[in-house]
Amino acid sequence: MSSLPIETRDNSERHLSEAELCHLETLKKLAEPTIATLSLEEHPNLLIFPQDLEVYGDKIGDAHIFEMRGEKMVTGNIMGFIGCGKTKVSISSRFAQGNNDYFLHYMLRKVFAVNLFDLQFNSDEESIFDFLIYLFPAFLKRAMRQGLYREYQTRKYNDANVKGRIDVARHIRQNIPFTGKIAYTTREYAQDNHLTQLIRHTIEYIAHHRYSGNILHNDDETSDAVNTIRQATESYNRNERQKVMNQNLRPISHPYYGEYRPLQQLCLQILRQEEMKYGRDDDEIYGVLFDGAWLWEEYLNTFLADIGFEHPRNKEGQGRKYLFSDHTGWCYPDFLSREMVLDAKYKWYDDWSKVQSKDLYQVISYMHVLNRDSGGYVVPVKNNNLPLKTKQLNGKGGTMSVYGLSIEQQSNSFDDYFTYMEASERNLIQEIQNGRVHTIINNRCRRY
């Protein structure tokens, strides 16, 4: 059985080739569970973004990685790499250029603030796993903003400063004849613990990686966080890496240190890369997956926030809006400004009939309740190909628009791609601002 990955793209259909049919049973196994049922405890080598599946309104946890309809593979918004035994599936974005998935990596770079250009942008297994290293600084900084992780640790001492329970058996074994020392055990709220040790091992792994060591000093906040971890882990021993990894198999559940849980998972994935590539069990599910709808929304926020759009967040409880005057029936629009409501859709709309009724009703209801006269959707399009025109609503009026962000299809390098996408973002911003002006003018005309 071949171990070459079965390559496909998001939101597409493809028939398995004759050579790929030998993987059919395993593909059905991967297609059957929902994302929510692929738990970390059962599949520790499978990392899924976003990691908080229940806090996003798109029901990401209910989705499947892909579907198998007979011998046909049907994909949705999930991108990345997943495998089981010798069966490997690589899902690139539908805007990928051959083997170079510039679009996926560009969004990841923007969302996770990765300031590097010397990456390999293929959609193969090794490239996707290596990209985890470049996500580490963002996860580390988020966690460290909650303070250095501390937990109670049992420590054994043998000195004259007794401050815990005397260990009689160990005292007799170590201190006869008596030399002035007492063997004792105590519980300390320590910063040098199994989790900070895991982070330290990850830091040292990255520091000696052939390409990525410089990301640990990419900005002052990252450098400070790295130095803090190194100073806190005085007992670090490179030879104890596997022991430390085993101590972190159970995810932390401390309610205060919530950002340390995804950091812990990422560290384990980074340190497991070699064993994942060469020492997997036949039934083990492994991989790195990204939900395209979530990633698209977070990417848009990296520049829409600069022009006054609020991005309400369910997880943090920020920006909650209410449907009723008694502050009940809360909702979280994707993007909200003083003039308009925008919904991020990782879909292709070439006709208004393609917009689902529930999506239309949702935005229209937000416009009504939040007193906005303009609403619409932001979607990715190929090379500015967006024929849809703005529509006028009946009743109380208002406009509905579809704004398209042009995605480059033919770039010679990531530098060229980066330049094109920045220009596309500026064009999109200009279109949205023109829509704002149009809304303001219409409002004034209606008043007079």
Side-chain angles (χ1 to χ4, degrees):
M1 182 184 296
S2 171
S3 61
L4 291 176
I6 299 170
E7 297 181 352
T8 187
R9 300 194 174 190
D10 72 67
N11 292 279
S12 66
E13 300 181 1
R14 58 156 292 188
H15 287 271
L16 298 181
S17 67
E18 186 174 346
E20 293 168 342
L21 286 176
C22 59
H23 297 279
L24 184 58
E25 291 305 314
T26 306
L27 290 173
K28 290 180 179 178
K29 173 183 175 181
L30 294 175
E32 181 178 357
T34 64
I35 291 176
T37 58
L38 293 171
S39 65
L40 176 70
E41 287 76 9
E42 293 183 14
H43 306 290
N45 288 329
L46 178 64
L47 195 58
I48 302 172
F49 295 89
Q51 295 174 307
D52 297 293
L53 300 176
E54 302 302 322
V55 300
Y56 293 92
D58 295 324
K59 297 183 179 180
I60 297 169
D62 295 338
H64 296 261
I65 300 169
F66 54 84
E67 297 180 27
M68 293 304 302
R69 300 174 185 172
E71 297 177 0
K72 183 169 65 175
M73 178 184 293
V74 181
T75 58
N77 285 335
I78 303 301
M79 296 178 281
F81 185 91
I82 188 169
C84 181
K86 292 184 178 181
T87 301
K88 305 176 182 181
V89 179
S90 176
I91 309 174
S92 59
S93 77
R94 59 187 181 275
F95 299 102
Q97 304 176 25
N99 291 327
N100 293 321
D101 199 350
Y102 287 153
F103 181 57
L104 171 59
H105 286 83
Y106 179 78
M107 289 196 295
L108 290 171
R109 177 204 176 279
K110 294 279 285 190
V111 170
F112 293 103
V114 180
N115 297 315
L116 293 173
F117 292 90
D118 57 344
L119 305 181
Q120 297 298 317
F121 296 101
N122 296 331
S123 56
D124 61 19
E125 172 185 10
E126 188 166 347
S127 172
I128 293 173
F129 276 119
D130 284 344
F131 196 88
L132 293 179
I133 292 176
Y134 300 98
L135 304 185
F136 177 78
F139 280 61
L140 176 64
K141 288 186 287 187
R142 287 179 190 174
M144 292 294 286
R145 288 167 193 158
Q146 295 184 324
L148 186 62
Y149 181 81
R150 290 176 169 84
E151 68 177 14
Y152 282 102
Q153 297 278 294
T154 300
R155 307 289 195 194
K156 295 181 178 181
Y157 293 97
N158 187 36
D159 54 39
N161 304 314
V162 181
K163 52 182 178 181
R165 180 178 60 83
I166 296 176
D167 190 337
V168 176
R170 186 161 58 88
H171 175 72
I172 293 174
R173 187 170 62 252
Q174 295 181 354
N175 298 318
I176 299 298
F178 184 64
T179 59
K181 297 180 179 180
I182 304 293
Y184 62 94
T185 302
T186 186
R187 294 268 293 171
E188 298 177 350
Y189 197 52
Q191 60 187 20
D192 190 355
N193 51 65
H194 73 284
L195 181 52
T196 53
Q197 281 288 335
L198 179 71
I199 300 170
R200 173 68 182 277
H201 278 276
T202 308
I203 287 172
E204 301 306 330
Y205 175 88
I206 294 174
H208 294 90
H209 193 274
R210 56 180 176 171
Y211 296 128
S212 58
N214 59 333
I215 70 168
L216 298 175
H217 307 285
N218 221 21
D219 57 76
D220 291 340
E221 187 179 3
T222 302
S223 295
D224 291 343
V226 168
N227 292 334
T228 300
I229 291 293
R230 281 175 167 162
Q231 293 170 8
T233 50
E234 297 178 352
S235 63
Y236 168 76
N237 183 342
R238 186 182 184 280
N239 296 324
E240 294 183 347
R241 179 168 296 172
Q242 189 60 51
K243 173 185 174 182
V244 171
M245 292 171 63
N246 292 337
Q247 291 173 336
N248 282 272
L249 293 179
R250 176 174 296 180
I252 65 166
S253 57
H254 198 294
Y256 177 76
Y257 294 110
E259 293 293 345
Y260 275 89
R261 181 183 172 103
L263 176 61
Q264 180 189 36
Q265 297 170 14
L266 182 67
C267 289
L268 286 172
Q269 285 283 45
I270 291 172
L271 295 177
R272 284 175 178 150
Q273 286 190 60
E274 294 305 315
E275 67 179 72
M276 288 173 68
K277 291 174 186 175
Y278 304 112
R280 304 187 182 99
D281 296 329
D282 287 343
D283 295 329
E284 181 182 8
I285 296 177
Y286 56 91
V288 183
L289 299 172
F290 301 92
D291 179 76
W294 164 80
L295 191 59
W296 174 246
E297 182 179 326
E298 294 302 307
Y299 159 61
L300 292 177
N301 187 51
T302 63
F303 58 89
L304 290 182
D306 296 336
I307 58 171
F309 276 92
E310 179 185 356
H311 181 39
R313 295 181 180 272
N314 193 341
K315 180 182 178 181
E316 294 88 0
Q318 297 177 358
R320 176 182 292 183
K321 308 300 176 185
Y322 297 95
L323 300 176
F324 303 103
S325 58
D326 62 354
H327 279 203
T328 60
W330 47 264
C331 60
Y332 291 90
D334 286 350
F335 296 100
L336 183 67
S337 72
R338 294 178 60 185
E339 301 88 8
M340 60 174 57
V341 179
L342 291 178
D343 200 20
K345 291 297 180 187
Y346 187 63
K347 298 178 180 180
W348 164 236
Y349 291 153
D350 57 356
D351 190 279
W352 275 103
S353 63
K354 297 288 183 65
V355 184
Q356 294 183 5
S357 296
K358 64 177 182 179
D359 294 334
L360 278 173
Y361 299 155
Q362 182 183 54
V363 173
I364 293 171
S365 65
Y366 286 166
M367 291 169 61
H368 175 75
V369 171
L370 302 174
N371 196 27
R372 302 301 194 272
D373 290 300
S374 182
Y377 309 91
V378 186
V379 300
V381 298
K382 297 179 180 180
N383 300 322
N384 261 335
N385 184 18
L386 185 66
L388 297 185
K389 295 182 178 180
T390 296
K391 282 182 171 286
Q392 298 288 327
L393 288 169
N394 285 325
K396 291 190 174 183
T399 61
M400 290 287 289
S401 305
V402 177
Y403 298 99
L405 179 72
S406 180
I407 310 299
E408 174 62 88
Q409 291 296 106
Q410 299 296 328
S411 291
N412 295 323
S413 68
F414 187 71
D415 286 340
D416 291 343
Y417 191 87
F418 185 90
T419 301
Y420 180 93
M421 291 301 296
E422 282 200 321
S424 291
E425 292 165 7
R426 290 192 295 269
N427 291 337
L428 174 62
I429 289 172
Q430 186 62 52
E431 288 183 24
I432 291 173
Q433 290 177 330
N434 290 341
R436 283 174 163 178
V437 172
H438 181 74
T439 298
I440 293 171
I441 292 174
N442 279 349
N443 287 343
R444 288 174 178 172
C445 292
R446 285 162 56 187
R447 281 198 292 268
Y448 295 103

